[in-house]
Amino acid sequence: MDAKSARGAAERLVVLVGDLKDRLDEVEHEPMDYGTGMVIHRAEIHTIQAIGRKRGINLTRLAETSGVTKGATSQMVSKLVAKGLVLKVQGAAPRELALDLTELGWTAFEAHERLHDRMIEAVEAYLGPDAEEPVERLTQAVQELLALVEAYARRVQP
């Protein structure tokens, strides 16, 4: 492949990655109800998911596993407490707060788990009965795309 063809291929890849990002943004950033009667945003449901999967997790550990600051995690938890989805309870150590879900929080958690199951089923249905090999190929391609985006970010950020 000559330099001009390689540049054209790279340009097509950049456009496709942009299109993929835009479509994922459309799908992922649409808030949902999750059976609670209220709007729950993506970051909120993933916080609920983390708490539901690790009942009794404390704020520090939740921040670490979520990859965001403790301050941002604290704000998110406060918002979810105000919405009636999360409870702050006494932790294992004195003065330690642990997190749990309210009944409404568990409703959202279970609906979100079912959504993930449907997403996995959609992938399996799309790829067919022998999905393991194509899933592995796609996983490798997405990992390469993520590495490419990281390399790009390092080059353009001061």
Side-chain angles (χ1 to χ4, degrees):
M1 181 181 295
D2 64 20
K4 187 174 181 180
S5 296
R7 183 167 181 88
E11 184 176 354
R12 286 190 303 278
L13 177 61
V14 167
V15 169
L16 281 173
V17 169
D19 291 348
L20 176 61
K21 182 210 171 290
D22 291 346
R23 186 62 181 126
L24 284 171
D25 283 348
E26 289 173 14
V27 172
E28 286 285 318
H29 289 93
E30 190 67 34
M32 297 178 67
D33 180 299
Y34 297 100
T36 62
M38 70 181 78
V39 171
I40 299 176
H41 295 272
R42 182 176 188 265
E44 293 172 327
I45 197 62
H46 287 139
T47 302
I48 290 168
Q49 179 185 40
I51 295 168
R53 289 186 174 175
K54 292 281 187 181
R55 290 182 82 169
I57 193 169
N58 67 31
L59 198 59
T60 300
R61 184 73 183 122
L62 180 60
E64 290 168 357
T65 60
S66 301
V68 295
T69 67
K70 190 174 175 183
T73 301
S74 179
Q75 287 180 345
M76 177 62 71
V77 167
S78 293
K79 185 189 297 187
L80 294 172
V81 167
K83 284 186 163 187
L85 298 163
V86 170
L87 294 170
K88 292 180 180 179
V89 298
Q90 177 61 47
R95 297 180 32 175
E96 178 185 58
L97 287 177
L99 303 171
D100 202 351
L101 300 178
T102 65
E103 187 175 325
L104 197 58
W106 282 111
T107 297
F109 174 86
E110 290 164 3
H112 183 252
E113 292 292 300
R114 287 190 302 275
L115 175 63
H116 273 254
D117 288 343
R118 288 194 310 272
M119 291 167 71
I120 291 166
E121 290 165 5
V123 169
E124 292 170 337
Y126 182 82
L127 295 174
D130 298 322
E132 187 174 348
E133 193 259 320
V135 165
E136 189 57 39
R137 276 196 334 265
L138 286 169
T139 299
Q140 289 173 355
V142 170
Q143 287 170 336
E144 287 183 44
L145 285 171
L146 286 171
L148 176 69
V149 170
E150 285 301 318
Y152 168 77
R154 284 191 300 273
R155 285 187 69 161
V156 298
Q157 293 177 349

